[in-house]
Amino acid sequence: MERGVEDYLAGLEGTPGAVAAVLRDLLRTIAPELGETIKWGQPVYSSGGPVCYFRAGKNHVTFGFWRGAELGKLSPRLERSGDKMAHLKLRTLDDIDEAEIRAMVSKAMELNRDKGDPSKERRTS
């Protein structure tokens, strides 16, 4: 049986657990049409392909986007990981900026509608 997001969150402790729970609630509020599942060992949110994910670490939560490199203008806090993806490191609840997250999720969903599933794209490098 697939381990669900509820189980994933139940296994977290401390500040990363609290950040992950608030982030999940925010995603479900601002974009209820996103599909939610566990893929690659972490919660993944999809609409026309993967849009964003989060992964809890010891001292932070990585909140990433498949098309993150195209979202750079929406947040100076985005850190690139490769030629397409980018992420935020959320260390405290205060690092969760609802307006910023709303803008990035909305734009990432729009990019998937316009360009298709980013997980199906061929790598250029």
Side-chain angles (χ1 to χ4, degrees), residues 23 26-27 30-31 34 51-52 63-79 86-90 95-112:
L23 183 58
L26 179 58
L27 288 169
I30 65 175
L34 285 173
V51 172
C52 59
F63 178 47
F65 294 87
W66 267 258
R67 297 187 185 279
E70 297 176 71
L71 305 176
K73 293 179 182 174
L74 297 175
S75 174
R77 299 188 304 152
L78 276 170
E79 300 175 28
H87 62 271
L88 299 175
K89 287 186 179 170
L90 306 173
D95 287 342
I96 298 173
D97 180 329
E98 182 178 342
E100 177 184 62
I101 290 171
R102 181 183 299 272
M104 289 188 296
V105 169
S106 176
K107 183 63 175 177
M109 291 171 64
E110 176 185 321
L111 288 167
N112 277 9

Side-chain angles (χ1 to χ4, degrees), residues 24-88:
R24 180 196 190 206
D25 288 345
L26 179 58
L27 288 169
R28 293 172 68 175
T29 298
I30 65 175
E33 65 273 28
L34 285 173
E36 176 186 73
T37 190
I38 296 288
K39 286 187 180 179
W40 307 291
Q42 62 203 5
V44 173
Y45 296 83
S46 300
S47 178
V51 172
C52 59
Y53 68 92
F54 65 84
R55 178 178 58 248
K58 184 177 179 182
N59 298 310
H60 70 277
V61 173
T62 299
F63 178 47
F65 294 87
W66 267 258
R67 297 187 185 279
E70 297 176 71
L71 305 176
K73 293 179 182 174
L74 297 175
S75 174
R77 299 188 304 152
L78 276 170
E79 300 175 28
R80 296 221 12 205
S81 48
D83 58 343
K84 299 208 183 280
M85 297 181 79
H87 62 271
L88 299 175

